[in-house]
Amino acid sequence: MTIVRTCLAIVLAAGEGTRMRSSRPKVLHLVAGRSLLAHVLAALRAAGGTSTAVVIGPDRDDVAAEARSALPSAQVFVQSERRGTAHAVLAARSAIEQGADDVLVIFGDTPLIQPHTLDRLRQALADGAAVAVLGFKPVDPTGYGRLVTRGDDLLSIVEHADATEKERAIALCNGGLMAFDGRVALKILQSIGNDNRKGEFYLTDAVAIARTMNLRAVALEVTEDEVSGINTKAQLAQAETVMQSRLRQAALDAGVTLVAPDTVHFAADTKLGKDVTVEPYVVFGPGVTVEDGATIRSFSHLQGAHVGPGAIVGPFARLRPGARLEQGVHIGNFVEIKEAVIEAGAKANHLAYIGDARVGEGANIGAGTITCNYDGSAKHHTDIGKGAFIGSNSALVAPVTIGDGAYIGSGSVITSNVPAGALAIGRGRQTVKEGWAQRLRDLKSLGKRK
Ligand code: UD1
Ligand code: MG
C-alpha cells in the first residue's frame, strides 16, 4: 500500500516588482499568454494532491482574482506589511495549522518550475529530511542566498547581503523553493527572527534553526531555468524563450508538424491534435484548440478559437475569440472570424469579416463579404443558411437571416431577410450610356485646340 502524503503549497505573491517598471503587479505579467502566478499554480495542480495558499500584498484584488481563476480551490491570504519571506509564509499560518504532511513554499514569480521538481522536494521529506531546499548554480550568483553544505547535509543559508567573502565564493545558491515537514514547520517558522542587515524575517534562516533542533536539512540541485525568478522585463523575455522552446518540443513530441518550429509562438494552453501542420510564422494566443489533420498556414493569428478536423486556415488569417470552425472549413487570406460558427465544409477564402454569425454547412462566402454586426452600440447576429452563396463584396447588415441555398448578388447591401432558395440583389442598377466616353474625349480634345 502506498501512503499518500498530504501537501500544503504556500505561494508568495506579495511582491510589487518595481524593477518591471510597470503599473501591473509582477506576478500578473504574462509568459506564453498566462500569468506568472497561473504558471506556478498550474505546476502545483499538475503535481497533484496539494492544497494551496496564495499570499498577496494589501489591496491586490487583481492578484487575488487571478489566483482564484487559475486555481479555484486556492485560499488567499494578505501579508499586510512586507517584512520578509518568513513573515509572508506566516500570513498563511491558519492554513499551516490545518496540518499537512508536507509544506511547500514557492515564489509566485518562478513560472518555469516543473511538477517533477516539486515531487523531488517532497520525496526528500518522505526520505526523512525536515527541510529541503532547491539549489542551483547561477552564472552570476550576486544577490542570491548561498547554500552552506557539508556532504549531503545543508547546514545553513546565508543571504548575499549578510555573507562573508568566503561564503560569497560558494557557487550553490538558494533557488527559493523550500519544503518543510508539516509536523515541525510552524515551530521552525515561529523561531525565525529579523536580526540581519535588512531587518527582515528570512525564510532561509529555517535551515540553521532546523539543525539546532537536531533535524536534517538537504539541498537538491536543479537547473537555473527552473528556479529563476522574474524581476525585470529582460528576465521575462528570457523566460518566454525557455517556455516557447518547451511548448514547441511538446508539440513535436505529440506528433504535430512544425515546419519552422522557432517561428511559431504558442500559448501555454494551446491544444493541437495529431497530424496538424503549422506553417512558419503562426501565433497562437490563449484558448486555441486545433483538431486532427488541420493545417494552419503562415502568418495566421489565432486566439480563443476552435479549428475542426481537416480545416485549413490562412495564410494571413485571423481567428478571434469565439471562432468555431467545423470539419473541413477553409478560411483564407485576410479573413477575420469572431464569435462565429462556420459549419462543416463552408468556405471564406479571401478578404472577409465574419462576426457574430453562423455560416451554414457548405456555404460559400465571396471575397470582400462583411457582416455588419455593430450598429454603434450593440452587436447583432447574422445567420447564413446551409449551402448559401454570398456574392463578392456584399455587406450583410445584421440582424439578418440568409436562408438555406439562397444567392446574394455581388456588391449587395442586404438589410432584410432572404428566404431559402431565393436570389437577393441589393445594389444600384447598372446603366450603360453608349458612346458616352468617346463624346467626352472629343469634347476634351476640342478644348485643347483652342
Ligand atoms: C530570496 C531568498 C534567497 C534566494 C532568492 C532566490 C530569502 C530571505 N532569500 O531572496 O536566498 O537566493 O530568493 O530568488 O528568502 N515576498 C513576500 N513578502 C515579503 C518578502 C518577499 O511575499 O515580505 C515574496 C516576494 O514577492 C518574492 C519572494 O517572496 O516572490 C522572494 O522575495 P525576494 O525579495 O525576491 O527575495 P530575494 O531577495 O530574491
Ligand atoms: Mg527575488
Side-chain angles (χ1 to χ4, degrees), residues 95-328:
I96 304 172
E97 281 168 349
Q98 281 166 13
D101 295 319
D102 303 338
V103 175
L104 270 182
V105 179
I106 172 168
F107 297 163
D109 66 355
T110 53
L112 299 172
I113 190 72
Q114 306 210 66
H116 65 84
T117 305
L118 301 175
D119 290 342
R120 270 180 74 197
L121 269 178
R122 294 184 61 193
Q123 187 58 46
L125 299 182
D127 294 342
V131 181
V133 174
L134 285 190
F136 71 116
K137 291 182 177 148
V139 183
D140 175 12
T142 310
Y144 292 113
R146 306 299 203 283
L147 302 188
V148 182
T149 52
R150 186 169 59 213
D152 288 342
D153 282 350
L154 177 61
L155 304 182
S156 64
I157 305 179
V158 192
E159 284 308 296
H160 183 90
D162 303 294
T164 62
E165 276 310 307
K166 207 175 143 206
E167 285 163 338
R168 285 186 183 178
I170 297 173
L172 193 62
C173 291
N174 177 23
L177 272 87
M178 284 200 190
F180 294 90
D181 179 336
R183 289 168 300 185
V184 291
L186 209 48
K187 202 164 166 214
I188 295 175
L189 290 166
Q190 282 169 341
S191 310
I192 294 175
N194 63 346
D195 181 18
N196 53 54
R197 198 161 285 188
K198 287 193 188 163
E200 285 191 358
F201 293 87
Y202 287 164
L203 184 62
T204 44
D205 284 350
V207 172
I209 290 169
R211 295 206 38 102
T212 64
M213 295 165 68
N214 277 327
L215 297 168
R216 188 152 182 252
V218 296
L220 308 173
E221 195 180 333
V222 294
T223 59
E224 184 165 3
D225 280 353
E226 285 226 25
V227 288
S228 56
I230 311 288
N231 298 311
T232 62
K233 290 279 168 73
Q235 289 167 342
L236 185 70
Q238 189 74 41
E240 183 76 57
T241 304
V242 175
M243 186 64 75
Q244 288 300 329
S245 70
R246 282 187 193 169
L247 293 168
R248 290 169 192 140
Q249 191 58 49
L252 293 166
D253 290 347
V256 173
T257 300
L258 301 180
V259 178
D262 288 350
T263 67
V264 178
H265 192 92
F266 287 109
D269 64 354
T270 306
K271 291 186 188 67
L272 305 176
K274 267 198 312 245
D275 295 316
V276 164
T277 297
V278 181
E279 290 186 355
Y281 300 100
V282 170
V283 175
F284 293 95
V288 176
T289 301
V290 180
E291 292 197 55
D292 295 354
T295 299
I296 312 297
R297 305 199 56 202
S298 291
F299 303 105
S300 295
H301 188 286
L302 299 81
Q303 182 176 353
H306 184 104
V307 177
I312 299 173
V313 174
F316 297 99
R318 175 153 189 224
L319 303 186
R320 289 174 52 202
R324 265 197 81 80
L325 318 188
E326 294 184 351
Q327 176 143 19

Side-chain angles (χ1 to χ4, degrees), residues 336-394:
E336 173 180 347
I337 312 278
K338 185 219 73 164
E339 204 62 59
V341 179
I342 316 296
E343 293 180 356
K347 290 183 182 145
N349 273 330
H350 335 265
L351 301 155
Y353 171 65
I354 309 292
D356 301 302
R358 175 189 77 102
V359 175
E361 204 179 306
N364 189 84
I365 308 294
T369 297
I370 305 289
T371 54
C372 309
N373 58 330
Y374 188 49
D375 62 12
S377 55
K379 302 280 168 68
H380 302 282
H381 188 80
T382 299
D383 193 84
I384 298 171
K386 181 174 169 178
F389 179 93
I390 313 298
S392 295
N393 209 29
S394 294

